[in-house]
Amino acid sequence: MLSDFRLPALGADMESGTVVQWNVAPGDAVKRGQVVAVVETDKGAIDVEIFEDGVVRELVVSPGTKVPVGTVIARLETAAGGEPAAPQMVAPAPEAVVPEAVAPAAVPAPGRAKVSPAAAEGTVSGGMREAIAAAMSRSKREIPHYYLSLTADVTATSDWLAARNATVGVAERMLFAVLLVKAVALACREVPGFSGFHRDGRFEASPSVHVGVAVALRGGGLVAPAIMDTADKPLPALMEDFRQLVMRARAGRLRASELAAPTIVLTSLGDAAVDAVFPIIQPPQVAIVGAGPVVVRPWVVDGRVEPRSVVTLSLGADHRVTDGRLGAQFLARVAEKLARPAEL
């Protein structure tokens, strides 16, 4: 049976996209998850995957054509028939940045001669800024946010990380942000209501935790692709996923599924000269975690004032799903996980 493959929504306020490259031709067999096209949006050039197995019968939209979301762009011959499911819409993450030291320099994407330079340069920042503004305005209108913050002692984490990184090569060194990602994922497992989506008037908990990481693009703008199955991965694997995700984001080589997958987002300000960030939820998610820089502050330990490494964690959450009491428990869990880095 013939099945229509439609242009998926790759953002909460995405209305259209330009098909700039097909990676398949009529007659080609395709598998679910295979990248079949490159679509340019305000976020840059996104790899778009197919959502079912089949054989390409027709490429309806020619390269260079801009079409609205939902437009049939190809037709497949499938065994079972029926339309493939499109990924859920997401919005770009707000205020967050990833420190420059986190990501390698952007590199040209191999085999992408047909992709406009807008995929990796600030030429798209104007449109992206408009998309971010629209998505965040919608979020603040529709979602009853509440905010909490907690300053956590991460001296043990900093010491553990420094000791570990001193014993490995540069390529194997780990960043504090990766420990944060894992701590958030584990806290989501223990405190329900923060990993999932609010759709059609109700909350849908996600069976797996996919933490989105806010990435600042070099030319301006932000994206928040997901590290899949975050809670289940060991730290070295998370570090490699994190490194690759940031590199591909800045090179304009993200996949549609990575933008659609986050069940919660982490936004970290790295070494910025502020103490905390209070980010805006990106619908249909129900929570976003912020982290300020790790700084040395006077801290009372066993009745003595000592210099300690601390970080201010923040939570923006949807009051339709959780409340301040649960939010406090969630942030406390994140801090507890960070205090025991060897268990991450």
Side-chain angles (χ1 to χ4, degrees):
M1 295 180 63
L2 281 180
S3 175
D4 290 340
F5 178 57
R6 300 175 184 274
L7 178 66
L10 306 176
D13 288 271
M14 176 180 164
E15 297 180 352
S16 61
T18 301
V19 177
V20 294
Q21 178 177 315
W22 282 108
N23 297 336
V24 294
D28 288 352
V30 292
K31 295 287 187 181
R32 179 182 176 89
Q34 179 179 338
V35 175
V36 297
V38 180
V39 173
E40 189 171 305
T41 73
D42 286 332
K43 297 182 179 69
I46 308 299
D47 287 335
V48 176
E49 304 105 307
I50 204 76
F51 301 108
E52 61 183 348
D53 297 346
V55 176
V56 178
R57 289 304 179 209
E58 181 184 4
L59 300 180
V60 179
V61 176
S62 302
T65 305
K66 186 174 184 177
V67 295
V69 167
T71 299
V72 176
I73 59 176
R75 290 190 172 90
L76 306 179
E77 184 76 27
T78 64
E83 292 189 12
Q88 297 297 324
M89 297 191 300
V90 294
E95 298 84 3
V97 298
V98 172
E100 287 296 315
V102 167
V107 294
R112 290 288 175 82
K114 297 181 182 178
V115 178
S116 153
E121 298 298 328
T123 52
V124 299
S125 62
M128 183 177 287
R129 290 294 180 196
E130 292 177 3
I132 291 173
M136 296 303 98
S137 295
R138 171 193 165 197
S139 176
K140 291 297 283 185
R141 283 196 310 269
E142 298 180 0
I143 299 176
H145 286 64
Y146 70 88
Y147 286 102
L148 302 172
S149 68
L150 180 156
T151 301
D153 183 348
V154 292
T155 304
T157 310
S158 297
D159 292 346
W160 179 89
L161 193 60
R164 180 198 178 278
N165 286 345
T167 65
V168 298
V170 174
E172 299 175 51
R173 290 178 185 170
M174 196 170 295
L175 295 168
F176 179 77
V178 172
L179 278 69
L180 269 173
V181 168
K182 185 66 179 286
V184 168
L186 293 177
C188 284
R189 278 187 166 176
E190 296 182 10
V191 185
F194 297 93
S195 177
F197 309 98
H198 192 277
R199 300 189 186 104
D200 301 323
R202 64 186 183 88
F203 174 63
E204 300 171 6
S206 173
S208 299
V209 181
H210 310 306
V211 177
V213 179
V215 180
L217 304 180
R218 296 191 186 283
L222 299 156
V223 289
I227 297 177
M228 306 300 291
D229 299 309
T230 318
D232 299 320
K233 293 181 177 177
L235 288 176
L238 279 181
M239 182 63 222
E240 182 58 24
D241 284 355
F242 184 80
R243 192 191 314 275
Q244 291 296 324
L245 203 65
V246 174
M247 182 174 67
R248 289 190 294 103
R250 291 183 172 172
R253 296 169 55 197
L254 290 173
R255 290 190 170 196
S257 59
E258 292 169 334
L259 289 171
T263 60
I264 187 170
V265 166
L266 170 67
T267 163
S268 171
L269 287 181
D271 56 1
V274 298
D275 292 326
V277 56
F278 295 93
I280 301 171
I281 300 167
Q282 52 180 54
Q285 296 162 24
V286 298
I288 182 167
V289 177
V294 177
V295 294
V296 177
R297 293 282 188 265
W299 201 257
V300 178
V301 180
D302 296 328
R304 303 184 307 275
V305 177
E306 299 180 1
R308 306 287 286 185
S309 295
V310 300
V311 64
T312 298
L313 306 173
S314 57
L315 172 70
D318 188 333
H319 225 317
R320 296 171 299 182
V321 180
T322 59
D323 54 31
R325 181 181 179 85
L326 276 176
Q329 292 175 10
F330 176 80
L331 274 187
R333 288 289 194 282
V334 176
E336 289 169 6
K337 302 299 181 187
L338 285 177
R340 300 191 295 272
E343 299 177 13
L344 293 174

